[in-house]
């Protein structure tokens, strides 16, 4: 028997009422801007595969190999960087991503929802201050306070790097 039926009902209604955002047509930008995945400088992780990165961003992986809890930080909805993460890493729409986390929190499969911040500076400062944090920035927004990790053995400056900012058209 459920102990908190009113809370569960409220969450289910909230999921059902989430607006279904129309997905803008997205294509890789002609300028081929990369999206750097960043972690705290103290994090011993230097590289993730695409599948590991997806598990981190979907909350399916909750701890780093060191045992430290992963704290995901994302930019607000509607930002090209977030759209890129949702499309290229999570392979979901904004609606599906929100629903995934609400459902995961409800079932206990996901422990913590992502932290959402408004600006690249906010994301960088958060990752700097939280040892288990992971986020993303355009390379020009990265400084020495955070560490850029390789994805599939590649850095954002490499031609074969898999994450490019999507351009709305």
């Amino acid at each position: 028997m459920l102990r908190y039926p009113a809370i569960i009902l409220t969450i289910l209604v909230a999921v059902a009422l989430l607006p279904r955002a129309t997905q803008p047509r997205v294509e890789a930008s002609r300028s081929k801007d990369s999206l750097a995945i960043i972690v705290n400088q103290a994090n011993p992780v230097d590289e993730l595969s695409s599948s590991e990165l997806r598990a981190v961003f979907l909350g399916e992986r909750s701890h780093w190999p060191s045992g430290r809890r992963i704290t995901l930080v994302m930019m607000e909805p509607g930002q090209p960087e977030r759209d890129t993460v949702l499309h290229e890493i999570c392979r979901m729409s904004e609606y599906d991503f929100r629903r995934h986390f609400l459902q995961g929190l409800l079932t206990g499969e996901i422990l913590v929802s992502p932290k959402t911040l408004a600006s690249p500076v906010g994301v960088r400062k958060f990752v700097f201050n939280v040892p288990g944090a992971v986020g993303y920035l355009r390379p020009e927004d990265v400084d020495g306070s955070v560490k850029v990790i390789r994805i599939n053995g590649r850095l954002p400056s490499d031609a074969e790097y898999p994450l490019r900012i999507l351009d709305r058209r």
Side-chain angles (χ1 to χ4, degrees):
M1 182 109 175
L2 297 173
R3 294 179 59 197
Y4 303 102
I7 293 171
I8 292 170
L9 181 60
T10 302
I11 291 172
L12 291 174
V13 169
V15 168
L17 295 177
L18 281 173
R20 288 193 181 261
T22 57
Q23 286 295 92
R25 185 173 158 233
V26 284
E27 295 178 7
S29 171
R30 287 195 177 108
S31 65
K32 300 289 186 190
D33 288 332
S34 299
L35 186 67
I37 303 300
I38 60 168
V39 296
N40 183 279
Q41 285 285 1
N43 192 327
V45 171
D46 292 320
E47 179 175 349
L48 292 172
S49 68
S50 291
S51 60
E52 291 170 321
L53 185 63
R54 185 169 195 267
V56 166
F57 274 85
L58 290 178
E60 296 167 356
R61 182 172 170 184
S62 61
H63 291 81
W64 294 110
S66 65
R68 187 173 299 276
R69 180 170 293 217
I70 295 173
T71 304
L72 177 61
V73 61
M74 298 188 65
M75 297 190 72
E76 292 180 336
Q79 299 296 324
E81 296 91 340
R82 182 179 173 114
D83 292 345
T84 300
V85 167
L86 294 179
H87 186 265
E88 298 296 316
I89 298 172
C90 301
R91 298 187 291 273
M92 292 182 169
S93 67
E94 182 70 44
Y95 173 82
D96 292 336
F97 183 76
R98 287 187 203 170
R99 185 171 181 206
H100 170 78
F101 270 91
L102 283 171
Q103 195 168 17
L105 290 167
L106 178 65
T107 62
E109 293 174 12
I110 296 175
L111 303 175
V112 180
S113 60
K115 177 86 170 156
T116 303
L117 297 173
S119 70
V121 171
V123 169
R124 188 177 62 237
K125 285 182 178 180
F126 185 88
V127 171
F128 170 77
N129 286 305
V130 178
V134 59
Y136 51 85
L137 293 172
R138 292 176 185 259
E140 60 265 24
D141 293 324
V142 174
D143 65 17
S145 66
V146 295
K147 178 169 67 170
V148 175
I149 61 172
R150 294 177 183 272
I151 306 302
N152 298 334
R154 306 287 184 192
L155 287 170
S157 57
D158 296 337
E160 299 84 13
Y161 187 73
L163 300 174
R164 303 288 177 196
I165 303 288
L166 298 176
D167 186 19
R168 292 187 208 187
R169 294 177 190 236

